[in-house]
Amino acid sequence: DHLAAGWRLAPEAAEPGADTSGQALLAALTRSHPLQPFSRRYFEPGRDPGLFTYASEWRALYPASTPVEGAASPVPLFPERPPRLSKPTFDGPINLQTLGRFLRHPLRTFYSQRLALHLEVAAETDANDEPFDFDGLQRWGLRAAILQQVERQLVAQPGIASERCLQQAVDRLARAGDLPLAPFDVDWRENLQAQFATPLQRYRALLAEYPNAIPIRALSLSADDLLLEDSLTGLRANAQGERLQLRLQPSELIKHNQLSWYHLVSHWP
């Protein structure tokens, strides 16, 4: 009623001399779908072009053709293919982060980039709540924040003890109010120390084995009409010229004797 009272159908959207009232606008904007998603109306010839389905298995519910009055022979049901998206176009080169996001979450990227649908729902948090425990995603976020600070500090100060870096990073989050208040944080801190002890020792050993930081390296690759351009950072080299990229990340790469490759694509697509 609000649309019909305040708007009219654009003249160019209507046939010459046709009604352009508010009711005509509602009729142009409204499409009535069948009650069942497998309705025969989705397959009938001469139907509204807006009625179509991508579910080919529902077509098996009906005969391949149907008799139509005035037609010499039965008319095939659903002879045309459903609408398809056009080939994607890119305004410029894609980067490693975009490629890694697609490899990690192909369906989510398709929905957001091609259909402009963002299915993630941001959780509302109360700034007055004091944390006592965390869910899986919150624990992952805290581990990521801690490792990011530890990584920067170990690279800048190779001689510093990893335990000290970890303690400073945890204390910083505690001062920011992101950790449970004492004494509820004791178990959490002890678990962090036990969980990160071996990875940090390995990280420090690799820093010593590959002591030379390599300047930022530009990357450019092309395939057909796609162009990938980015820069590689964090590369290091040893005395033999062998290079690698060192990263600390909060998720386990090997779990149940299987490599979790999807944790790697954000660093190395």
Side-chain angles (χ1 to χ4, degrees):
D1 294 338
H2 179 70
L3 291 176
W7 282 268
R8 294 291 183 269
L9 183 64
E12 58 270 19
E15 298 292 334
D19 181 21
T20 59
S21 65
Q23 294 299 324
L25 172 64
L26 292 181
L29 294 177
T30 304
R31 177 171 292 115
S32 178
H33 284 270
L35 180 62
Q36 298 89 0
F38 49 84
S39 172
R40 184 187 182 92
R41 288 179 54 195
Y42 286 108
F43 303 95
E44 291 178 340
R47 69 189 183 284
D48 184 343
L51 295 179
F52 61 88
T53 177
Y54 291 100
S56 59
E57 64 272 14
W58 290 338
R59 184 178 180 182
L61 297 175
Y62 304 103
S65 61
T66 183
V68 175
E69 184 178 356
S73 59
V75 177
L77 288 176
F78 204 36
E80 75 280 6
R81 301 179 67 87
R84 292 188 176 186
L85 291 174
S86 59
K87 187 177 181 181
T89 58
F90 300 93
D91 296 333
I94 60 176
N95 55 31
L96 290 176
Q97 183 179 14
T98 302
L99 178 59
R101 189 184 304 118
F102 170 74
L103 294 174
R104 178 68 176 89
H105 299 288
L107 288 180
R108 181 187 301 175
T109 304
F110 170 77
Y111 274 101
S112 61
Q113 298 297 323
R114 301 303 313 277
L115 304 180
L117 294 176
H118 301 277
L119 306 180
E120 300 87 356
V121 178
E124 296 184 1
T125 57
D126 189 347
N128 296 319
D129 286 346
E130 294 290 349
F132 289 93
D133 196 8
F134 306 101
D135 58 28
L137 184 58
Q138 289 173 324
R139 287 194 292 269
W140 185 93
L142 289 174
R143 292 198 301 268
I146 291 171
L147 289 180
Q148 186 177 17
Q149 181 179 343
V150 170
E151 184 176 8
R152 284 198 304 264
Q153 196 166 3
L154 286 177
V155 171
Q157 301 173 276
I160 191 172
S162 56
E163 294 80 5
R164 180 183 175 188
C165 292
L166 181 59
Q167 185 65 43
Q168 291 176 350
V170 173
D171 290 342
R172 182 178 180 181
L173 289 178
R175 290 192 298 270
D178 295 330
L179 299 183
L181 297 176
F184 303 102
D185 63 336
V186 175
D187 290 341
W188 202 84
R189 289 173 180 264
E190 291 177 352
N191 289 336
L192 277 180
Q193 293 283 354
Q195 182 180 6
F196 290 152
T198 300
L200 290 181
Q201 290 177 2
R202 178 60 176 159
Y203 185 79
R204 289 195 62 191
L206 288 172
L207 282 178
E209 187 177 347
Y210 292 79
N212 302 321
I214 299 177
I216 296 176
R217 181 179 179 183
L219 176 67
S220 179
L221 297 172
S222 61
D224 297 330
D225 55 347
L226 294 179
L227 178 61
L228 172 68
E229 287 185 351
D230 210 329
S231 56
L232 296 177
T233 60
L235 297 176
R236 304 184 68 85
N238 59 12
Q240 292 74 36
E242 298 173 329
R243 294 172 293 182
L244 55 71
Q245 186 184 54
L246 282 177
R247 285 289 184 267
L248 285 172
Q249 61 98 34
S251 302
E252 295 183 55
L253 292 180
I254 299 178
K255 194 171 185 179
H256 304 304
N257 294 325
Q258 291 186 347
L259 176 65
S260 301
W261 60 268
Y262 42 84
H263 292 317
L264 294 174
V265 294
S266 58
H267 305 301
W268 181 57

